[in-house]
Amino acid sequence: MKCIKGGIIVLPNCTVEGKAVLYDEKIIGIVDENDIPADAEVISAKGCYVAPGLVDVHIHGYLNEDASDGKAEGVRKMAYGVVENGVTTFLPTTMTVSMDEINAALDICRSLKEESKSWKGAYIAGVNAEGPFINASKKGAQAEEHIKAPDADWVIANSDIIKLVTIAPETEGGYEAIKKIRENSDVRVSVGHTDATFEEAYKAFECGADHVTHLFNAQTALHHRKPGVVGAGLASDAYAELIADTFHVHPGLFSLVAKCKGDKLVLITDCTRAGGMPDGEYSLGGQPIFLKGIQCLLADGTIAGSVLKLNEAVKNVLDNTDLSVAEVVAAASLNPANSIGMGETKGSLEAGKDADIIIADMNFEIKKTIIQGEIRYEA
């Protein structure tokens, strides 16, 4: 048995002090520090937060690697890299490239999923297929020549590895595909890269979609007479992804989104291969992208993903809202876990769940990352 004591423990709805987290491969419970068993292996977290491992359900790349490359070593490098940012579970995210490339990426993640349970990096829970079923008018940094009409049969055939898929519902066959996917698999459907109206977005939710891909970005904007996908995302019960890098979305809106969405707010990185790298030229879906500071752009100035780290997203929301630490951490752990149907085992420090734990300082810099009871990273 192991325990972490001395820190501020972040629970789903509050923080507590003077207590300890007991765990082996699973969380055993939260006890008073005076009740720590004598034979427990003790880790001190004095002056730090003890929080659940972070869950990134939308990340394309990191450290000059990209999930869409379809390379095992690249995905491993991503997994080993993001664990330093407190991420214990992630969905390598494909984009609008050729179907051959997407299928190859799925196969690689499929082959690595079991191995990822015990390697030194974050666990691969599945894949997020952000393309190619999108609207060309809202393609953002995705390649138009690879855009296709929604193919429910392909999604269902790959539902062993796909956890989340983005669909522009207003495209030909979109609503039918959403219904078919939800009726025949556990894959969650996200509305994104879409020119849908408010009403069309709600129709997609009625058909079974329950996510919005990176709220505000690559979708119809909020207007008081045409609320768009943004309005539907805020007003509905759908999960809403937020890239809280202070560039994709102005930080003045973080509080508004959080108040509208509550436990349906999901912090993501949408990170590209430029993440963790110095300023310069990289690539995304076969297109050159240019990194300067926190901005990642195509040559024409189109935003092309981010270089955000998920622990930085937590810090950015804490710095720009009056939300509690528990609320913000949940948006990067329990909420995303729930959004892909994994909340029973991941996302919070509750008895019986996997012992995925992070120790972070007051600036949310990661000091230790523990996955299923084993230290996978130590600063």
Side-chain angles (χ1 to χ4, degrees):
M1 183 186 299
K2 305 169 188 177
C3 87
I4 302 172
K5 72 171 189 177
I8 301 169
I9 298 172
V10 184
L11 299 176
N13 299 305
C14 64
T15 56
V16 296
E17 296 183 63
K19 295 186 180 291
V21 181
L22 296 184
Y23 65 97
D24 43 34
E25 290 184 358
K26 304 282 186 182
I27 303 291
I28 295 168
I30 311 295
V31 301
D32 288 335
E33 289 187 351
N34 294 331
D35 295 330
I36 297 171
D39 61 346
E41 177 185 330
V42 177
I43 294 173
S44 173
K46 188 174 182 180
C48 290
Y49 293 115
V50 182
L54 307 183
V55 179
D56 196 346
V57 298
H58 190 150
I59 173 170
H60 296 281
Y62 195 60
L63 296 176
N64 211 21
E65 304 292 345
D66 191 300
S68 293
D69 291 345
K71 297 191 304 183
E73 283 309 309
V75 176
R76 281 195 190 95
K77 190 174 178 182
M78 287 174 59
Y80 282 49
V82 298
V83 79
E84 299 182 11
N85 307 330
V87 175
T88 55
T89 300
F90 76 122
L91 298 185
T93 302
T94 57
M95 57 181 302
T96 303
V97 292
S98 72
M99 290 306 295
D100 285 345
E101 289 173 290
I102 295 173
N103 285 324
L106 296 186
D107 285 342
I108 287 298
C109 291
R110 189 180 275 120
S111 71
L112 292 174
K113 187 176 178 182
E114 187 64 29
E115 178 188 344
S116 76
K117 291 179 180 178
S118 57
W119 64 18
K120 288 292 185 181
Y123 169 61
I124 297 172
V127 168
N128 176 353
E130 192 187 3
F133 312 129
I134 63 175
N135 190 319
S137 71
K138 297 290 185 182
K139 67 182 187 297
Q142 310 226 31
E144 186 169 350
E145 64 267 27
H146 296 305
I147 292 173
K148 294 187 177 300
D151 185 347
D153 291 335
W154 177 83
V155 175
I156 294 163
N158 288 285
S159 60
D160 63 312
I161 192 67
I162 296 176
K163 281 281 188 183
L164 183 63
V165 62
T166 291
I167 290 178
E170 76 283 5
T171 57
E172 185 178 356
Y175 299 112
E176 293 78 12
I178 294 169
K179 282 183 182 178
K180 190 171 185 179
I181 291 165
R182 293 303 297 135
E183 289 172 357
N184 294 279
S185 76
D186 292 326
V187 178
R188 304 299 179 94
V189 178
S190 188
V191 173
H193 287 276
T194 171
D195 200 34
T197 63
F198 177 89
E199 291 78 13
E200 287 170 332
Y202 254 91
K203 183 177 177 181
F205 299 146
E206 291 167 359
C207 289
D210 66 352
H211 284 62
V212 176
T213 303
H214 41 54
L215 189 71
F216 295 105
N217 291 279
Q219 58 202 237
T220 46
L222 178 66
H223 183 278
H224 59 289
R225 285 189 294 273
K226 294 181 179 179
V229 172
V230 173
L234 291 171
S236 71
D237 196 37
Y239 289 96
E241 296 179 353
L242 182 69
I243 308 170
D245 61 357
T246 72
F247 172 58
H248 277 78
V249 178
H250 191 286
L253 289 175
F254 292 174
S255 287
L256 171 67
V257 175
K259 287 172 183 174
C260 289
K261 299 314 302 178
D263 61 7
K264 296 298 178 72
L265 172 62
V266 174
L267 297 182
I268 62 163
T269 62
D270 195 25
C271 191
T272 67
R273 71 167 76 247
M277 302 296 291
D279 287 358
E281 181 178 341
Y282 300 92
S283 67
L284 179 67
Q287 303 175 92
I289 58 174
F290 302 89
L291 171 64
K292 184 176 181 180
I294 63 170
Q295 298 185 17
C296 212
L297 307 173
L298 296 181
D300 66 2
T302 300
I303 297 176
S306 87
V307 290
L308 182 64
K309 300 172 183 177
L310 199 51
N311 61 314
E312 291 176 347
V314 171
K315 178 67 162 53
N316 287 341
V317 177
L318 286 171
D319 285 349
N320 289 284
T321 69
D322 59 1
L323 296 172
S324 69
V325 172
E327 288 173 309
V328 181
V329 168
S333 54
L334 184 57
N335 300 357
N338 281 332
S339 81
I340 56 171
M342 298 190 70
E344 290 187 5
T345 58
K346 304 286 185 183
S348 61
L349 302 180
E350 296 178 274
K353 290 193 175 186
D354 293 340
D356 296 349
I357 308 167
I358 57 173
I359 298 176
D361 68 16
M362 293 296 103
N363 289 315
F364 234 80
E365 293 293 326
I366 306 302
K367 300 304 178 184
K368 279 188 177 68
T369 303
I370 296 166
I371 302 179
Q372 293 197 336
E374 299 296 327
I375 295 174
R376 303 284 180 94
Y377 167 74
E378 196 163 7

